[in-house]
Amino acid sequence: SQQGEEDPQALSIQEGENATMNCSYKTSINNLQWYRQNSGRGLVHLILIRSNEREKHSGRLRVTLDTSKKSSSLLITASRAADTASYFCATDEDTGFQKLVFGTGTRLLVSP
Amino acid sequence: GAVVSQHPSWVICKSGTSVKIECRSLDFQATTMFWYRQFPKQSLMLMATSNEGSKATYEQGVEKDKFLINHASLTLSTLTVTSAHPEDSSFYICSAYSLAGSSYNEQFFGPGTRLTVL
C-alpha cells in the first residue's frame, strides 16, 4: 500500500494557539482516522470521519475530509503542552479488507 | 474501550538470536490482528495481517521466514523475529480488530514493543 503524506512534518506552536495538520492519501477510502502517539508509546485513537462526511468535531478537535482532493485536515484548537505528540492519519482502503494505511505523521510541539 | 497488551514492552538481544513478541486482546475476541513496524521518527508500516487459524498475509517486502506470525487463538498473536540483526531494531506495534460491536474498521492498538538488537 502506498503511504499517505502529511504536512507539515513538524509544527511548533505556543500554548493557546491552534494547530492544523493536513493529510493526503492516494486511493478510495471507506473512512479516515486520526491517531496521536506520544514518544515511544502506542497509538491513541482520536477521531474517525466516514467518506460521506465532510466535517466532524470532538472536543477541541475538528476534522475535515475532502474526498475529491483526497485530503483531510486536523485542527486542534487552544492547544496545550499536553498535546505535544506525533499525529497520524490512517485510511481504510476501500478494498473490503481491514487494512489501515498510515500517513507520514506530523510532530507537534506545544510550548508553555 | 477494548484493551490490547503486548509483551515484552522492550527487549534487547544479541545478533542472531530469535525474539518472540506477544499481542493479546484482553477483553474481546480478535479475529484479525495486524503487526506494524515503526522506525524512529517514521510512520507505522504494516508488516502482516494475522487471522486466527490461518496463515498470515505478509506485505510486500516483508520476509515471512524472518518474521514468523502465529495467531493460535482469538486473543493471542505472536511475532517471532528470527535470527535478529541490528537492522531489525525497531518499535513493533500490534493491533486487533473485532467483528463484534463497531460497524467500521475499529482497530485497537497495543502499547508497542521496543526491540534492540546488539
PDB file of all heavy atoms in Angstrom, chain B residues 18-57:
ATOM      1  N   SER B  18      16.640 -15.254  18.348  1.00  0.00           N
ATOM      2  CA  SER B  18      15.240 -15.053  17.970  1.00  0.00           C
ATOM      3  C   SER B  18      14.485 -14.427  19.131  1.00  0.00           C
ATOM      4  O   SER B  18      14.753 -14.719  20.295  1.00  0.00           O
ATOM      5  CB  SER B  18      14.597 -16.386  17.579  1.00  0.00           C
ATOM      6  OG  SER B  18      15.192 -16.901  16.408  1.00  0.00           O
ATOM      7  N   VAL B  19      13.548 -13.607  18.802  1.00  0.00           N
ATOM      8  CA  VAL B  19      12.761 -12.898  19.816  1.00  0.00           C
ATOM      9  C   VAL B  19      11.287 -13.066  19.521  1.00  0.00           C
ATOM     10  O   VAL B  19      10.861 -12.883  18.366  1.00  0.00           O
ATOM     11  CB  VAL B  19      13.104 -11.385  19.819  1.00  0.00           C
ATOM     12  CG1 VAL B  19      12.204 -10.630  20.781  1.00  0.00           C
ATOM     13  CG2 VAL B  19      14.572 -11.183  20.168  1.00  0.00           C
ATOM     14  N   LYS B  20      10.510 -13.399  20.534  1.00  0.00           N
ATOM     15  CA  LYS B  20       9.063 -13.558  20.362  1.00  0.00           C
ATOM     16  C   LYS B  20       8.347 -12.415  21.069  1.00  0.00           C
ATOM     17  O   LYS B  20       8.617 -12.106  22.229  1.00  0.00           O
ATOM     18  CB  LYS B  20       8.593 -14.889  20.940  1.00  0.00           C
ATOM     19  CG  LYS B  20       7.078 -15.106  20.774  1.00  0.00           C
ATOM     20  CD  LYS B  20       6.605 -16.365  21.461  1.00  0.00           C
ATOM     21  CE  LYS B  20       6.958 -17.599  20.688  1.00  0.00           C
ATOM     22  NZ  LYS B  20       6.314 -18.816  21.246  1.00  0.00           N
ATOM     23  N   ILE B  21       7.404 -11.821  20.355  1.00  0.00           N
ATOM     24  CA  ILE B  21       6.586 -10.737  20.901  1.00  0.00           C
ATOM     25  C   ILE B  21       5.136 -11.205  20.898  1.00  0.00           C
ATOM     26  O   ILE B  21       4.652 -11.717  19.884  1.00  0.00           O
ATOM     27  CB  ILE B  21       6.722  -9.451  20.052  1.00  0.00           C
ATOM     28  CG1 ILE B  21       8.186  -9.011  19.986  1.00  0.00           C
ATOM     29  CG2 ILE B  21       5.851  -8.339  20.621  1.00  0.00           C
ATOM     30  CD1 ILE B  21       8.435  -7.896  18.975  1.00  0.00           C
ATOM     31  N   GLU B  22       4.465 -11.018  22.019  1.00  0.00           N
ATOM     32  CA  GLU B  22       3.071 -11.430  22.137  1.00  0.00           C
ATOM     33  C   GLU B  22       2.136 -10.239  22.062  1.00  0.00           C
ATOM     34  O   GLU B  22       2.430  -9.170  22.593  1.00  0.00           O
ATOM     35  CB  GLU B  22       2.829 -12.157  23.462  1.00  0.00           C
ATOM     36  CG  GLU B  22       3.540 -13.474  23.597  1.00  0.00           C
ATOM     37  CD  GLU B  22       3.164 -14.179  24.883  1.00  0.00           C
ATOM     38  OE1 GLU B  22       2.544 -13.538  25.760  1.00  0.00           O
ATOM     39  OE2 GLU B  22       3.496 -15.368  25.018  1.00  0.00           O
ATOM     40  N   CYS B  23       1.009 -10.468  21.447  1.00  0.00           N
ATOM     41  CA  CYS B  23      -0.044  -9.457  21.359  1.00  0.00           C
ATOM     42  C   CYS B  23      -1.336 -10.120  21.821  1.00  0.00           C
ATOM     43  O   CYS B  23      -1.748 -11.134  21.241  1.00  0.00           O
ATOM     44  CB  CYS B  23      -0.173  -8.964  19.929  1.00  0.00           C
ATOM     45  SG  CYS B  23      -1.522  -7.787  19.644  1.00  0.00           S
ATOM     46  N   ARG B  24      -1.955  -9.558  22.845  1.00  0.00           N
ATOM     47  CA  ARG B  24      -3.165 -10.146  23.399  1.00  0.00           C
ATOM     48  C   ARG B  24      -4.303  -9.136  23.428  1.00  0.00           C
ATOM     49  O   ARG B  24      -4.116  -7.981  23.816  1.00  0.00           O
ATOM     50  CB  ARG B  24      -2.939 -10.628  24.833  1.00  0.00           C
ATOM     51  CG  ARG B  24      -1.995 -11.797  24.971  1.00  0.00           C
ATOM     52  CD  ARG B  24      -1.871 -12.244  26.422  1.00  0.00           C
ATOM     53  NE  ARG B  24      -0.876 -13.300  26.562  1.00  0.00           N
ATOM     54  CZ  ARG B  24      -1.140 -14.588  26.416  1.00  0.00           C
ATOM     55  NH1 ARG B  24      -2.374 -14.980  26.133  1.00  0.00           N
ATOM     56  NH2 ARG B  24      -0.184 -15.485  26.558  1.00  0.00           N
ATOM     57  N   SER B  25      -5.476  -9.609  23.035  1.00  0.00           N
ATOM     58  CA  SER B  25      -6.681  -8.807  23.243  1.00  0.00           C
ATOM     59  C   SER B  25      -7.269  -9.263  24.576  1.00  0.00           C
ATOM     60  O   SER B  25      -7.550 -10.437  24.771  1.00  0.00           O
ATOM     61  CB  SER B  25      -7.678  -9.019  22.107  1.00  0.00           C
ATOM     62  OG  SER B  25      -7.995 -10.385  21.942  1.00  0.00           O
ATOM     63  N   LEU B  26      -7.392  -8.327  25.501  1.00  0.00           N
ATOM     64  CA  LEU B  26      -7.703  -8.706  26.881  1.00  0.00           C
ATOM     65  C   LEU B  26      -9.189  -8.888  27.156  1.00  0.00           C
ATOM     66  O   LEU B  26      -9.566  -9.675  28.019  1.00  0.00           O
ATOM     67  CB  LEU B  26      -7.119  -7.669  27.843  1.00  0.00           C
ATOM     68  CG  LEU B  26      -5.593  -7.534  27.806  1.00  0.00           C
ATOM     69  CD1 LEU B  26      -5.117  -6.568  28.879  1.00  0.00           C
ATOM     70  CD2 LEU B  26      -4.914  -8.878  27.956  1.00  0.00           C
ATOM     71  N   ASP B  27     -10.031  -8.152  26.471  1.00  0.00           N
ATOM     72  CA  ASP B  27     -11.445  -8.216  26.822  1.00  0.00           C
ATOM     73  C   ASP B  27     -12.341  -8.384  25.602  1.00  0.00           C
ATOM     74  O   ASP B  27     -13.535  -8.082  25.657  1.00  0.00           O
ATOM     75  CB  ASP B  27     -11.854  -6.974  27.617  1.00  0.00           C
ATOM     76  CG  ASP B  27     -11.394  -5.694  26.933  1.00  0.00           C
ATOM     77  OD1 ASP B  27     -10.834  -5.766  25.830  1.00  0.00           O
ATOM     78  OD2 ASP B  27     -11.605  -4.618  27.517  1.00  0.00           O
ATOM     79  N   PHE B  28     -11.765  -8.864  24.522  1.00  0.00           N
ATOM     80  CA  PHE B  28     -12.589  -9.138  23.349  1.00  0.00           C
ATOM     81  C   PHE B  28     -11.865 -10.169  22.485  1.00  0.00           C
ATOM     82  O   PHE B  28     -10.673 -10.415  22.648  1.00  0.00           O
ATOM     83  CB  PHE B  28     -12.863  -7.858  22.541  1.00  0.00           C
ATOM     84  CG  PHE B  28     -11.649  -7.271  21.863  1.00  0.00           C
ATOM     85  CD1 PHE B  28     -11.402  -7.481  20.511  1.00  0.00           C
ATOM     86  CD2 PHE B  28     -10.756  -6.496  22.585  1.00  0.00           C
ATOM     87  CE1 PHE B  28     -10.284  -6.928  19.899  1.00  0.00           C
ATOM     88  CE2 PHE B  28      -9.628  -5.947  21.984  1.00  0.00           C
ATOM     89  CZ  PHE B  28      -9.398  -6.168  20.637  1.00  0.00           C
ATOM     90  N   GLN B  29     -12.609 -10.763  21.592  1.00  0.00           N
ATOM     91  CA  GLN B  29     -12.020 -11.740  20.697  1.00  0.00           C
ATOM     92  C   GLN B  29     -11.650 -11.065  19.387  1.00  0.00           C
ATOM     93  O   GLN B  29     -12.476 -10.378  18.779  1.00  0.00           O
ATOM     94  CB  GLN B  29     -13.007 -12.883  20.445  1.00  0.00           C
ATOM     95  CG  GLN B  29     -13.255 -13.722  21.699  1.00  0.00           C
ATOM     96  CD  GLN B  29     -14.120 -14.933  21.405  1.00  0.00           C
ATOM     97  OE1 GLN B  29     -15.002 -14.880  20.567  1.00  0.00           O
ATOM     98  NE2 GLN B  29     -13.842 -16.030  22.097  1.00  0.00           N
ATOM     99  N   ALA B  30     -10.429 -11.249  18.999  1.00  0.00           N
ATOM    100  CA  ALA B  30      -9.901 -10.591  17.806  1.00  0.00           C
ATOM    101  C   ALA B  30      -9.754 -11.601  16.680  1.00  0.00           C
ATOM    102  O   ALA B  30      -8.893 -12.479  16.721  1.00  0.00           O
ATOM    103  CB  ALA B  30      -8.550  -9.941  18.110  1.00  0.00           C
ATOM    104  N   THR B  31     -10.586 -11.477  15.678  1.00  0.00           N
ATOM    105  CA  THR B  31     -10.481 -12.384  14.547  1.00  0.00           C
ATOM    106  C   THR B  31      -9.272 -12.056  13.695  1.00  0.00           C
ATOM    107  O   THR B  31      -8.712 -12.925  13.040  1.00  0.00           O
ATOM    108  CB  THR B  31     -11.746 -12.288  13.679  1.00  0.00           C
ATOM    109  OG1 THR B  31     -11.979 -10.905  13.370  1.00  0.00           O
ATOM    110  CG2 THR B  31     -12.944 -12.841  14.407  1.00  0.00           C
ATOM    111  N   THR B  32      -8.880 -10.811  13.717  1.00  0.00           N
ATOM    112  CA  THR B  32      -7.747 -10.368  12.907  1.00  0.00           C
ATOM    113  C   THR B  32      -6.836  -9.495  13.753  1.00  0.00           C
ATOM    114  O   THR B  32      -7.310  -8.645  14.500  1.00  0.00           O
ATOM    115  CB  THR B  32      -8.227  -9.563  11.681  1.00  0.00           C
ATOM    116  OG1 THR B  32      -9.119 -10.359  10.906  1.00  0.00           O
ATOM    117  CG2 THR B  32      -7.048  -9.133  10.822  1.00  0.00           C
ATOM    118  N   MET B  33      -5.559  -9.729  13.621  1.00  0.00           N
ATOM    119  CA  MET B  33      -4.569  -8.868  14.268  1.00  0.00           C
ATOM    120  C   MET B  33      -3.567  -8.407  13.219  1.00  0.00           C
ATOM    121  O   MET B  33      -3.303  -9.124  12.246  1.00  0.00           O
ATOM    122  CB  MET B  33      -3.856  -9.603  15.408  1.00  0.00           C
ATOM    123  CG  MET B  33      -4.747  -9.848  16.624  1.00  0.00           C
ATOM    124  SD  MET B  33      -3.840 -10.644  17.970  1.00  0.00           S
ATOM    125  CE  MET B  33      -5.042 -10.560  19.280  1.00  0.00           C
ATOM    126  N   PHE B  34      -3.066  -7.236  13.417  1.00  0.00           N
ATOM    127  CA  PHE B  34      -2.110  -6.661  12.482  1.00  0.00           C
ATOM    128  C   PHE B  34      -0.798  -6.395  13.211  1.00  0.00           C
ATOM    129  O   PHE B  34      -0.787  -6.012  14.378  1.00  0.00           O
ATOM    130  CB  PHE B  34      -2.639  -5.345  11.909  1.00  0.00           C
ATOM    131  CG  PHE B  34      -3.930  -5.476  11.159  1.00  0.00           C
ATOM    132  CD1 PHE B  34      -5.144  -5.360  11.816  1.00  0.00           C
ATOM    133  CD2 PHE B  34      -3.942  -5.716   9.789  1.00  0.00           C
ATOM    134  CE1 PHE B  34      -6.344  -5.481  11.141  1.00  0.00           C
ATOM    135  CE2 PHE B  34      -5.141  -5.833   9.101  1.00  0.00           C
ATOM    136  CZ  PHE B  34      -6.338  -5.714   9.768  1.00  0.00           C
ATOM    137  N   TRP B  35       0.294  -6.541  12.492  1.00  0.00           N
ATOM    138  CA  TRP B  35       1.616  -6.212  13.031  1.00  0.00           C
ATOM    139  C   TRP B  35       2.223  -5.088  12.202  1.00  0.00           C
ATOM    140  O   TRP B  35       2.286  -5.162  10.974  1.00  0.00           O
ATOM    141  CB  TRP B  35       2.528  -7.439  13.008  1.00  0.00           C
ATOM    142  CG  TRP B  35       2.162  -8.447  14.057  1.00  0.00           C
ATOM    143  CD1 TRP B  35       1.378  -9.556  13.908  1.00  0.00           C
ATOM    144  CD2 TRP B  35       2.558  -8.425  15.427  1.00  0.00           C
ATOM    145  NE1 TRP B  35       1.270 -10.217  15.094  1.00  0.00           N
ATOM    146  CE2 TRP B  35       1.977  -9.551  16.043  1.00  0.00           C
ATOM    147  CE3 TRP B  35       3.347  -7.573  16.201  1.00  0.00           C
ATOM    148  CZ2 TRP B  35       2.165  -9.848  17.394  1.00  0.00           C
ATOM    149  CZ3 TRP B  35       3.538  -7.865  17.540  1.00  0.00           C
ATOM    150  CH2 TRP B  35       2.944  -8.994  18.123  1.00  0.00           C
ATOM    151  N   TYR B  36       2.687  -4.057  12.932  1.00  0.00           N
ATOM    152  CA  TYR B  36       3.309  -2.907  12.301  1.00  0.00           C
ATOM    153  C   TYR B  36       4.738  -2.755  12.829  1.00  0.00           C
ATOM    154  O   TYR B  36       5.069  -3.159  13.936  1.00  0.00           O
ATOM    155  CB  TYR B  36       2.548  -1.616  12.640  1.00  0.00           C
ATOM    156  CG  TYR B  36       1.121  -1.567  12.156  1.00  0.00           C
ATOM    157  CD1 TYR B  36       0.082  -2.125  12.896  1.00  0.00           C
ATOM    158  CD2 TYR B  36       0.798  -0.924  10.960  1.00  0.00           C
ATOM    159  CE1 TYR B  36      -1.228  -2.058  12.463  1.00  0.00           C
ATOM    160  CE2 TYR B  36      -0.516  -0.849  10.516  1.00  0.00           C
ATOM    161  CZ  TYR B  36      -1.519  -1.414  11.275  1.00  0.00           C
ATOM    162  OH  TYR B  36      -2.814  -1.339  10.839  1.00  0.00           O
ATOM    163  N   ARG B  37       5.544  -2.089  12.019  1.00  0.00           N
ATOM    164  CA  ARG B  37       6.897  -1.763  12.439  1.00  0.00           C
ATOM    165  C   ARG B  37       7.069  -0.258  12.266  1.00  0.00           C
ATOM    166  O   ARG B  37       6.586   0.325  11.280  1.00  0.00           O
ATOM    167  CB  ARG B  37       7.917  -2.525  11.584  1.00  0.00           C
ATOM    168  CG  ARG B  37       9.368  -2.263  11.931  1.00  0.00           C
ATOM    169  CD  ARG B  37      10.261  -3.271  11.254  1.00  0.00           C
ATOM    170  NE  ARG B  37      10.040  -3.341   9.822  1.00  0.00           N
ATOM    171  CZ  ARG B  37      10.670  -4.199   9.019  1.00  0.00           C
ATOM    172  NH1 ARG B  37      11.555  -5.053   9.522  1.00  0.00           N
ATOM    173  NH2 ARG B  37      10.425  -4.199   7.744  1.00  0.00           N
ATOM    174  N   GLN B  38       7.736   0.340  13.224  1.00  0.00           N
ATOM    175  CA  GLN B  38       7.932   1.783  13.172  1.00  0.00           C
ATOM    176  C   GLN B  38       9.383   2.107  13.512  1.00  0.00           C
ATOM    177  O   GLN B  38       9.838   1.832  14.625  1.00  0.00           O
ATOM    178  CB  GLN B  38       6.994   2.491  14.162  1.00  0.00           C
ATOM    179  CG  GLN B  38       7.076   4.002  14.093  1.00  0.00           C
ATOM    180  CD  GLN B  38       6.147   4.680  15.083  1.00  0.00           C
ATOM    181  OE1 GLN B  38       5.890   4.166  16.160  1.00  0.00           O
ATOM    182  NE2 GLN B  38       5.646   5.853  14.711  1.00  0.00           N
ATOM    183  N   PHE B  39      10.091   2.675  12.544  1.00  0.00           N
ATOM    184  CA  PHE B  39      11.455   3.134  12.789  1.00  0.00           C
ATOM    185  C   PHE B  39      11.406   4.533  13.371  1.00  0.00           C
ATOM    186  O   PHE B  39      10.405   5.251  13.216  1.00  0.00           O
ATOM    187  CB  PHE B  39      12.266   3.080  11.496  1.00  0.00           C
ATOM    188  CG  PHE B  39      12.514   1.679  11.020  1.00  0.00           C
ATOM    189  CD1 PHE B  39      11.864   1.170   9.907  1.00  0.00           C
ATOM    190  CD2 PHE B  39      13.387   0.848  11.710  1.00  0.00           C
ATOM    191  CE1 PHE B  39      12.073  -0.131   9.484  1.00  0.00           C
ATOM    192  CE2 PHE B  39      13.602  -0.461  11.294  1.00  0.00           C
ATOM    193  CZ  PHE B  39      12.940  -0.944  10.182  1.00  0.00           C
ATOM    194  N   PRO B  40      12.490   4.962  14.058  1.00  0.00           N
ATOM    195  CA  PRO B  40      12.472   6.257  14.738  1.00  0.00           C
ATOM    196  C   PRO B  40      12.053   7.390  13.824  1.00  0.00           C
ATOM    197  O   PRO B  40      12.521   7.512  12.689  1.00  0.00           O
ATOM    198  CB  PRO B  40      13.925   6.408  15.208  1.00  0.00           C
ATOM    199  CG  PRO B  40      14.408   5.014  15.381  1.00  0.00           C
ATOM    200  CD  PRO B  40      13.743   4.222  14.291  1.00  0.00           C
ATOM    201  N   LYS B  41      11.153   8.194  14.339  1.00  0.00           N
ATOM    202  CA  LYS B  41      10.659   9.386  13.650  1.00  0.00           C
ATOM    203  C   LYS B  41       9.999   9.064  12.306  1.00  0.00           C
ATOM    204  O   LYS B  41       9.948   9.914  11.418  1.00  0.00           O
ATOM    205  CB  LYS B  41      11.787  10.406  13.472  1.00  0.00           C
ATOM    206  CG  LYS B  41      12.317  10.926  14.795  1.00  0.00           C
ATOM    207  CD  LYS B  41      13.293  12.054  14.616  1.00  0.00           C
ATOM    208  CE  LYS B  41      13.748  12.569  15.984  1.00  0.00           C
ATOM    209  NZ  LYS B  41      14.719  13.684  15.876  1.00  0.00           N
ATOM    210  N   GLN B  42       9.543   7.848  12.167  1.00  0.00           N
ATOM    211  CA  GLN B  42       8.827   7.475  10.951  1.00  0.00           C
ATOM    212  C   GLN B  42       7.429   6.988  11.296  1.00  0.00           C
ATOM    213  O   GLN B  42       7.063   6.882  12.465  1.00  0.00           O
ATOM    214  CB  GLN B  42       9.609   6.407  10.178  1.00  0.00           C
ATOM    215  CG  GLN B  42      10.927   6.909   9.626  1.00  0.00           C
ATOM    216  CD  GLN B  42      11.577   5.904   8.714  1.00  0.00           C
ATOM    217  OE1 GLN B  42      10.913   5.046   8.119  1.00  0.00           O
ATOM    218  NE2 GLN B  42      12.881   5.993   8.579  1.00  0.00           N
ATOM    219  N   SER B  43       6.678   6.698  10.274  1.00  0.00           N
ATOM    220  CA  SER B  43       5.307   6.262  10.478  1.00  0.00           C
ATOM    221  C   SER B  43       5.245   4.748  10.669  1.00  0.00           C
ATOM    222  O   SER B  43       6.249   4.059  10.611  1.00  0.00           O
ATOM    223  CB  SER B  43       4.463   6.676   9.277  1.00  0.00           C
ATOM    224  OG  SER B  43       3.107   6.388   9.510  1.00  0.00           O
ATOM    225  N   LEU B  44       4.062   4.263  10.911  1.00  0.00           N
ATOM    226  CA  LEU B  44       3.849   2.825  11.040  1.00  0.00           C
ATOM    227  C   LEU B  44       3.735   2.208   9.660  1.00  0.00           C
ATOM    228  O   LEU B  44       3.008   2.711   8.801  1.00  0.00           O
ATOM    229  CB  LEU B  44       2.556   2.530  11.803  1.00  0.00           C
ATOM    230  CG  LEU B  44       2.582   2.667  13.314  1.00  0.00           C
ATOM    231  CD1 LEU B  44       2.606   4.123  13.737  1.00  0.00           C
ATOM    232  CD2 LEU B  44       1.386   1.962  13.934  1.00  0.00           C
ATOM    233  N   MET B  45       4.423   1.097   9.489  1.00  0.00           N
ATOM    234  CA  MET B  45       4.329   0.355   8.238  1.00  0.00           C
ATOM    235  C   MET B  45       3.767  -1.020   8.550  1.00  0.00           C
ATOM    236  O   MET B  45       4.300  -1.745   9.403  1.00  0.00           O
ATOM    237  CB  MET B  45       5.704   0.218   7.588  1.00  0.00           C
ATOM    238  CG  MET B  45       6.320   1.543   7.164  1.00  0.00           C
ATOM    239  SD  MET B  45       5.358   2.394   5.889  1.00  0.00           S
ATOM    240  CE  MET B  45       5.596   1.296   4.510  1.00  0.00           C
ATOM    241  N   LEU B  46       2.711  -1.380   7.864  1.00  0.00           N
ATOM    242  CA  LEU B  46       2.093  -2.681   8.086  1.00  0.00           C
ATOM    243  C   LEU B  46       3.026  -3.776   7.608  1.00  0.00           C
ATOM    244  O   LEU B  46       3.531  -3.726   6.488  1.00  0.00           O
ATOM    245  CB  LEU B  46       0.759  -2.757   7.343  1.00  0.00           C
ATOM    246  CG  LEU B  46      -0.005  -4.060   7.468  1.00  0.00           C
ATOM    247  CD1 LEU B  46      -0.451  -4.277   8.911  1.00  0.00           C
ATOM    248  CD2 LEU B  46      -1.214  -4.069   6.540  1.00  0.00           C
ATOM    249  N   MET B  47       3.254  -4.758   8.471  1.00  0.00           N
ATOM    250  CA  MET B  47       4.099  -5.888   8.103  1.00  0.00           C
ATOM    251  C   MET B  47       3.244  -7.060   7.626  1.00  0.00           C
ATOM    252  O   MET B  47       3.549  -7.683   6.620  1.00  0.00           O
ATOM    253  CB  MET B  47       4.930  -6.353   9.308  1.00  0.00           C
ATOM    254  CG  MET B  47       5.886  -5.323   9.856  1.00  0.00           C
ATOM    255  SD  MET B  47       6.690  -5.930  11.338  1.00  0.00           S
ATOM    256  CE  MET B  47       7.669  -7.273  10.694  1.00  0.00           C
ATOM    257  N   ALA B  48       2.218  -7.366   8.405  1.00  0.00           N
ATOM    258  CA  ALA B  48       1.444  -8.559   8.088  1.00  0.00           C
ATOM    259  C   ALA B  48       0.093  -8.503   8.776  1.00  0.00           C
ATOM    260  O   ALA B  48      -0.097  -7.794   9.769  1.00  0.00           O
ATOM    261  CB  ALA B  48       2.200  -9.809   8.522  1.00  0.00           C
ATOM    262  N   THR B  49      -0.822  -9.273   8.223  1.00  0.00           N
ATOM    263  CA  THR B  49      -2.156  -9.436   8.779  1.00  0.00           C
ATOM    264  C   THR B  49      -2.290 -10.867   9.249  1.00  0.00           C
ATOM    265  O   THR B  49      -1.982 -11.807   8.504  1.00  0.00           O
ATOM    266  CB  THR B  49      -3.218  -9.139   7.712  1.00  0.00           C
ATOM    267  OG1 THR B  49      -3.014  -7.818   7.212  1.00  0.00           O
ATOM    268  CG2 THR B  49      -4.616  -9.265   8.296  1.00  0.00           C
ATOM    269  N   SER B  50      -2.741 -11.006  10.470  1.00  0.00           N
ATOM    270  CA  SER B  50      -2.817 -12.322  11.090  1.00  0.00           C
ATOM    271  C   SER B  50      -4.272 -12.679  11.362  1.00  0.00           C
ATOM    272  O   SER B  50      -4.969 -11.949  12.060  1.00  0.00           O
ATOM    273  CB  SER B  50      -2.027 -12.269  12.411  1.00  0.00           C
ATOM    274  OG  SER B  50      -2.241 -13.408  13.201  1.00  0.00           O
ATOM    275  N   ASN B  51      -4.733 -13.757  10.785  1.00  0.00           N
ATOM    276  CA  ASN B  51      -6.096 -14.226  11.008  1.00  0.00           C
ATOM    277  C   ASN B  51      -6.067 -15.513  11.821  1.00  0.00           C
ATOM    278  O   ASN B  51      -5.266 -16.407  11.537  1.00  0.00           O
ATOM    279  CB  ASN B  51      -6.802 -14.481   9.677  1.00  0.00           C
ATOM    280  CG  ASN B  51      -7.061 -13.196   8.917  1.00  0.00           C
ATOM    281  OD1 ASN B  51      -7.767 -12.319   9.393  1.00  0.00           O
ATOM    282  ND2 ASN B  51      -6.474 -13.074   7.752  1.00  0.00           N
ATOM    283  N   GLU B  52      -6.928 -15.585  12.793  1.00  0.00           N
ATOM    284  CA  GLU B  52      -6.952 -16.739  13.678  1.00  0.00           C
ATOM    285  C   GLU B  52      -7.178 -18.022  12.894  1.00  0.00           C
ATOM    286  O   GLU B  52      -8.099 -18.110  12.084  1.00  0.00           O
ATOM    287  CB  GLU B  52      -8.056 -16.553  14.734  1.00  0.00           C
ATOM    288  CG  GLU B  52      -8.079 -17.626  15.811  1.00  0.00           C
ATOM    289  CD  GLU B  52      -9.031 -18.755  15.499  1.00  0.00           C
ATOM    290  OE1 GLU B  52      -9.957 -18.538  14.693  1.00  0.00           O
ATOM    291  OE2 GLU B  52      -8.857 -19.850  16.061  1.00  0.00           O
ATOM    292  N   GLY B  53      -6.291 -18.973  13.109  1.00  0.00           N
ATOM    293  CA  GLY B  53      -6.430 -20.284  12.497  1.00  0.00           C
ATOM    294  C   GLY B  53      -5.958 -20.395  11.066  1.00  0.00           C
ATOM    295  O   GLY B  53      -6.105 -21.452  10.443  1.00  0.00           O
ATOM    296  N   SER B  54      -5.389 -19.336  10.522  1.00  0.00           N
ATOM    297  CA  SER B  54      -4.886 -19.429   9.146  1.00  0.00           C
ATOM    298  C   SER B  54      -3.529 -18.742   9.039  1.00  0.00           C
ATOM    299  O   SER B  54      -3.079 -18.078   9.981  1.00  0.00           O
ATOM    300  CB  SER B  54      -5.877 -18.806   8.163  1.00  0.00           C
ATOM    301  OG  SER B  54      -6.028 -17.432   8.426  1.00  0.00           O
ATOM    302  N   LYS B  55      -2.905 -18.908   7.898  1.00  0.00           N
ATOM    303  CA  LYS B  55      -1.588 -18.314   7.707  1.00  0.00           C
ATOM    304  C   LYS B  55      -1.688 -16.798   7.604  1.00  0.00           C
ATOM    305  O   LYS B  55      -2.666 -16.255   7.089  1.00  0.00           O
ATOM    306  CB  LYS B  55      -0.947 -18.872   6.431  1.00  0.00           C
ATOM    307  CG  LYS B  55      -0.530 -20.326   6.535  1.00  0.00           C
ATOM    308  CD  LYS B  55       0.173 -20.775   5.267  1.00  0.00           C
ATOM    309  CE  LYS B  55       0.600 -22.227   5.370  1.00  0.00           C
ATOM    310  NZ  LYS B  55       1.286 -22.684   4.132  1.00  0.00           N
ATOM    311  N   ALA B  56      -0.635 -16.154   8.058  1.00  0.00           N
ATOM    312  CA  ALA B  56      -0.608 -14.701   7.979  1.00  0.00           C
ATOM    313  C   ALA B  56      -0.390 -14.241   6.546  1.00  0.00           C
ATOM    314  O   ALA B  56       0.192 -14.952   5.723  1.00  0.00           O
ATOM    315  CB  ALA B  56       0.510 -14.157   8.874  1.00  0.00           C
ATOM    316  N   THR B  57      -0.872 -13.053   6.265  1.00  0.00           N
ATOM    317  CA  THR B  57      -0.649 -12.424   4.961  1.00  0.00           C
ATOM    318  C   THR B  57       0.376 -11.326   5.133  1.00  0.00           C
ATOM    319  O   THR B  57       0.157 -10.392   5.907  1.00  0.00           O
ATOM    320  CB  THR B  57      -1.967 -11.826   4.419  1.00  0.00           C
ATOM    321  OG1 THR B  57      -2.949 -12.851   4.331  1.00  0.00           O
ATOM    322  CG2 THR B  57      -1.729 -11.217   3.037  1.00  0.00           C
TER     323      THR B  57
END
